[in-house]
Structure formats: C-alpha cells, structure tokens
C-alpha cells in the first residue's frame, strides 16, 4: 500500500512550560513535551507496524513518519488520546498528508511540503484544549493556571496546599522523575557527572519552591540556531528520494545530540572554572528547561548566566560545525543557491557558511513572571540575530529592573543618548575581530572593578560610576562632559586614574559600527556576574 507523510506536533510549548513560576512544573512540562517525541510517538508507531527506517524525525514534541493512511490515523489517535488522559493541558495535533509517496521516494520532498501545509492549517482550525475547561461561577480555580481545579496538591514538608487543575496535578507528581531524567541525559556526555549533578537544581529545592533563585537575580536564557532554518527550507529542493529521507533523519539527530552536549559542556566548564578560586563547585545554579535541536531555554543563577551563555554558544558552534553532515549540506545548498541567483530565481543567497547561535539573556528578580522573561529573552535573541549574516554567534543581554511587563523595544526606546544606544548588544562571541566582541565588554568591567590579580589597580569609585550613569540616562552632552572633566581631575594620582582614562576613552563611545556605549551594560553585569565579584 502507498505511504504518506504523518506529522505530529505539540504547540504553545512555551505557554505550557512557563505558565507559572513554579519550577517543578516547568521541568515536568518540559519533560512531558520531550516524551511525546521520544516515547509516545515511537510506541504508537511500533504498535502500528511502522519500521524504524520510516520514523524519519524524532524530536521534542515532534514526529515525522512515513506510513499508510490507516496506520497514520491510528498513530495520531493513540498519541492524542494519551494526551487527553495524561496531559490535559498539552496542545497536540497530527495530520496525514494528502500526497501518496512514490515507491522510489522521488516525490518525497513534494509530499512533505504538502503535509507541513496541512499541519499549519490544522493548527489554525483546531479548537484549543482550554475549551474543555469551562469555568462556572461556583468553580474553584487552579492557583497556577486559573483553570477549574479538580484536587489539591501540596509541597511536602512545607505543608502548603494548592488547588490545582487536572493538568497541573498530573505535572506535579512528575517533577522528581523529570529532574532525574534531565540529569541522566546531561550526564551521558559529561566528563565529570558529579559537576552536572551538583549544578542542576535539586528536587528538594524544586519541591520547596525555591529552585534557581540566587538572592538577587535570575538569568533566563533563550538560544536559537542561525542557519538551521535555511537547511530544512532548502533541503527538499536540493535532494530527493532515500537521500532526502536519510538527510532529514541524520541532521535532526545531529542537532539534538549537539544541543544536549553543548549544554553539558557549558555546565562542566562553568562549574569546573568556578572551583579554581572559590573552593568547591557551585551548586543549584542551573535548570535546563527546553533543549531540542537548535532551540534551548535555560534558567540560571544570575551570577553564572553571562559566562554560561557565552560558553554555550562557543560549544554549540564548535560541535555543530564539526559535523560533516552539516558542513556538507551547507556547501550543497550554497552551490544550488549560487546557480539560482545567477538564473534570477532568487534575489540573493541566504545559506550561511557555518552555523552559529543567537542568544538572548534577561536578568530578572526571582518572582518576575517567567512567561514574560522567556518572551523578553526571545526578543533579545531576535536582536542577536542581526549579526548572523556575518556567520557569528552573538548574545544580547538586558538587566530588567522594572516589574512592568513591557517588550524590548519599549524598554530600550528611551535608552539613547545623543543618538548613541546605551547598551552593548548584540555582543559578538567566538571570533575576536569585531568591535562588539565580548572581550571589549569584559575589559570595561575589569577597568571598573579590577580582578585581584591586577596588581596596583584600584576599582573606580562607585560614586564616579553613578555620576556617569546619571549623566548618560538623564543629562545632556554638557552634563556628561562636566562629569568626565571632574572625575578625571579627581582621579589624578590615584590608583584608578589609568583605568578611568581607558574606560572613558575606549568604552564610553567605542568606534566601529553604529554608535553605542558599553558603560551601562558593564555596570549592570558587575552586579550579577560571579567572575567579577
């Protein structure tokens, strides 16, 4: 019998995972989405007689299979029925493509495009899972989601009890297993699994409600690969048949493996580096929430967030671009796109020479709504993508002092002084031949607050930095010039004189590219970054 593409996908994942600040629910929801792609769909496919070869893509919350129309419907029915029973809040749907795949797979790409269009349309047409939860006047509401509550859940030793919806109650009991599975997956690629075990927030802290907190700041990191979309968009245009099927499978598996390994490597590097001067490794400082393909979301103790983000990008870029299937596919797509440009089929080539990572990192207070923090971090990721055409990984960062839930553009609109942006991002990572490279920001931070190894250098007084900040954010050019002149005069003969001179000369108004300043970003990171404390 003829086969068709079967595509099953979860949606509104961020909403499900970050609907509450309760980190035990965050990690349980993330694990649930992972199980859909790596357990639920494979089990249903096996029961329907689909071969491992025809289960083309396994990813978190996603499955692509080749099966008969009847088998495909059975698989979708099994998975969605299971979701209703075990994960009532999960948005999940699937489609059977309309196009029969030829025996020689010659129309595999065409059929895949049809199935993806059907999937997108069905997402628009399907009713939301929230319509199952009618709220009546006498209904007690869930303390976390606002949906009708069906039972109470408690926090063990703390004795706190909460009214919970059915979906929340299911997740509540899965947090411990989810945390164990997360540590196990991270430890598979670890050189020292004890560092990973110590770094990831313990179940006890998840249970008590503390989780990743740090008395001051929490870092919320969102990272997204640059160039991955170009690969999958163009893949079915440059390959066909069994070669296309194997490429889709291999690239998906490669990205999944590299994403997890890059998170593990970054944890080990930061934890191991912190032991050099500070005694034992730090504990309870990281909680990877979403890791899949080129999409990564992590909660971090603010003291380690910047270094972790930078290290993650370095590791991901190194690992992915070290995979022959990625580099060879990029070369193939670039070759075809060159021909398409010459034939005027497309205006310009879009495929990058190498894969890079765009990162958005927002620092917030522990009780700031995670849903807004993640959305804000995604906007910062979009800003970081402005340098992706240069083939560079980048990080944009913002310390969010306000409790208002505004978007990035609104927050940054007033942060301009005489046409100069008062933030350092996007901060370029990896290659150092760029005026926005992270080494320049780190230098500004060291000038303000020298390391213990910088003999004879005194920190710039906080009063001077405060005056500079005030002049930049509320003053005029005349005010700034007056502050600079006064600070420079007072610094003569003091231990920080050379540092102040270099800070004002090289970092207040850096040269190269659009006008910007590193001062405010450096000041803010000093408050939350462990290395500089």
């Amino acid at each position: 019998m003829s086969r068709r593409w079967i595509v099953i996908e979860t949606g509104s994942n961020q909403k499900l995972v970050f609907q509450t600040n309760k980190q035990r629910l965050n990690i349980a929801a993330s694990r649930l989405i992972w199980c859909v792609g790596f357990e639920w769909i494979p089990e249903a496919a096996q029961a329907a007689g689909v071969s491992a070869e025809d289960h083309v893509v396994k990813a978190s919350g996603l499955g692509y299979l080749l099966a008969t129309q009847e088998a495909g419907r059975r698989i979708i029915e099994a998975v969605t029925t299971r979701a209703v029973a075990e994960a009532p809040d999960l948005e999940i749907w699937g489609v059977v493509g309309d196009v029969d795949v030829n025996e020689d797979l010659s129309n595999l790409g065409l059929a895949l495009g049809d199935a993806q269009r059907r999937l997108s349309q069905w997402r628009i047409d399907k009713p939301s899972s929230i319509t199952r939860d009618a709220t009546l006047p006498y209904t007690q509401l869930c303390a976390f989601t606002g949906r009708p509550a069906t039972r109470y859940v408690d926090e063990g030793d703390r004795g706190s009890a909460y009214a919970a919806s059915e979906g929340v109650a299911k997740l509540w009991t899965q947090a411990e297993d989810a945390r164990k599975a997360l540590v196990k997956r991270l430890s598979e690629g670890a050189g020292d699994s004890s560092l990973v075990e110590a770094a990831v927030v313990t179940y006890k802290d998840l249970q008590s409600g503390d989780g990743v907190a740090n008395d001051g700041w929490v870092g919320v990191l969102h990272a997204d690969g640059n160039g991955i979309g170009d690969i999958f968009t163009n893949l079915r245009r440059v390959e066909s048949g069994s070669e296309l099927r194997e490429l889709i499978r291999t690239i998906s598996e490669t990205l999944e493996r590299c994403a997890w390994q890059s998170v593990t490597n970054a944890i080990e590097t930061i934890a191991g580096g912190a032991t050099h001067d500070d005694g034992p490794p730090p504990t309870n400082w990281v909680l990877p929430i979403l890791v899949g393909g080129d999409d990564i979301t992590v909660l971090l103790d603010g003291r380690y967030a910047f270094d972790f983000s930078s290290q993650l990008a370095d590791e991901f870029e190194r690992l992915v671009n070290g995979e022959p299937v990625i580099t060879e596919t990029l070369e193939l797509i670039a070759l075809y796109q060159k021909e398409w440009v010459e034939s005027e089929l497309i205006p310009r080539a879009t495929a990058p020479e190498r894969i890079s990572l765009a990162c958005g990192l927002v620092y917030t207070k522990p009780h700031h709504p995670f849903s807004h923090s993640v959305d804000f971090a995604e906007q910062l990721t979009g800003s970081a993508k402005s340098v992706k055409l240069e083939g560079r990984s980048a990080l944009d960062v913002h310390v969010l002092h306000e409790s208002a839930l505004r978007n990035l553009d609104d927050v940054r609109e007033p942060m301009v002084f005489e046409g100069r942006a008062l933030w350092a991002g996007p901060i370029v990572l990896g290659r150092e031949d760029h005026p926005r490279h992270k080494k320049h920001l780190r230098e500004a931070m060291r000038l303000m607050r020298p390391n213990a190894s910088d003999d004879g250098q005194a920190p710039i007084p906080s009063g001077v930095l405060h005056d500079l900040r005030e002049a930049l954010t509320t003053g005029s050019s005349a005010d700034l010039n007056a502050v600079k002149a006064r600070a420079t005069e007072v610094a003569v003969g003091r231990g920080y004189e050379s540092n102040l001179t270099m800070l004002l000369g090289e970092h207040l108004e850096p040269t190269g590219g659009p006008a910007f300043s590193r001062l405010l970003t450096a000041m803010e990171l000093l408050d939350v970054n462990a290395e500089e404390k």
Side-chain angles (χ1 to χ4, degrees), residues 244-481:
L244 174 59
R245 180 179 61 185
E246 291 309 308
L247 265 181
I248 293 174
R249 183 203 322 280
T250 305
I251 291 174
S252 297
E253 292 174 351
T254 298
L255 291 173
E256 185 76 15
R257 184 179 69 254
C258 289
W260 280 101
Q261 190 63 53
S262 63
V263 173
T264 296
N265 291 355
I267 291 174
E268 284 196 280
T269 300
I270 301 306
T275 66
H276 296 166
D277 301 315
D278 304 331
T283 59
N284 288 12
W285 59 272
V286 62
L287 188 64
I289 297 294
L290 296 175
V291 181
D294 64 329
D295 193 4
I296 300 170
T297 302
V298 185
L299 304 182
L300 297 140
D301 182 319
R303 294 169 295 178
Y304 308 101
F306 185 85
D307 288 342
F308 177 88
S309 303
S310 175
Q311 190 66 38
L312 175 69
D314 290 345
E315 293 291 342
F316 185 84
E317 190 172 338
R318 178 182 64 83
L319 290 171
V320 172
N321 290 295
E323 294 286 343
V325 67
I326 299 295
T327 55
E328 291 170 6
T329 302
L330 284 175
E331 290 172 0
L332 177 63
I333 293 174
L335 183 64
Y336 272 89
Q337 286 197 341
K338 181 180 179 181
E339 295 178 0
W340 296 340
V341 171
E342 292 173 351
S343 303
E344 299 184 350
L345 296 176
I346 59 175
R348 61 180 179 85
T350 58
E353 295 182 2
R354 56 188 285 111
I355 300 299
S356 56
L357 195 69
C359 303
L361 173 63
V362 59
Y363 292 90
T364 70
K365 289 300 182 178
H367 297 292
H368 191 85
F370 280 162
S371 57
H372 177 259
S373 299
V374 172
D375 183 59
F376 201 93
E378 289 179 342
Q379 294 173 51
L380 287 166
T381 301
S383 172
K385 285 181 175 289
S386 62
V387 297
K388 71 177 183 179
L389 295 179
E390 302 176 34
R392 305 172 190 268
S393 294
L395 164 68
D396 204 351
V397 58
H398 190 89
V399 180
L400 197 61
H401 293 277
E402 62 182 58
S403 58
L405 308 184
R406 297 193 295 164
N407 61 39
L408 177 63
D409 289 340
D410 289 340
V411 170
R412 283 186 167 174
E413 183 179 5
M415 293 179 60
V416 177
F417 178 84
E418 303 289 338
R420 183 173 297 277
L422 297 180
W423 61 88
I427 302 158
V428 173
L429 309 172
R431 305 176 189 180
E432 298 188 4
D433 56 338
H434 197 285
R436 289 183 180 266
H437 190 267
K438 66 180 180 182
K439 68 178 182 180
H440 302 299
L441 180 61
R442 289 194 180 279
E443 181 185 53
M445 295 166 70
R446 282 194 297 271
L447 291 172
M448 293 178 184
R449 192 176 300 171
N451 296 328
S453 58
D454 297 330
D455 295 334
Q457 297 185 24
I460 297 174
S462 58
V464 174
L465 297 178
H466 174 76
D467 289 344
L468 287 170
R469 183 200 298 266
E470 185 176 24
L472 285 169
T473 55
T474 64
S476 62
S477 294
D479 296 322
L480 179 61
N481 291 334

Side-chain angles (χ1 to χ4, degrees), residues 38 65 75 83 132 142 176 190 201 233 305 354 402 457 473 504:
F38 289 95
L65 309 93
I75 294 169
R132 294 198 296 265
C142 173
E176 185 173 11
V201 176
T233 298
R354 56 188 285 111
E402 62 182 58
Q457 297 185 24
T473 55
L504 296 177

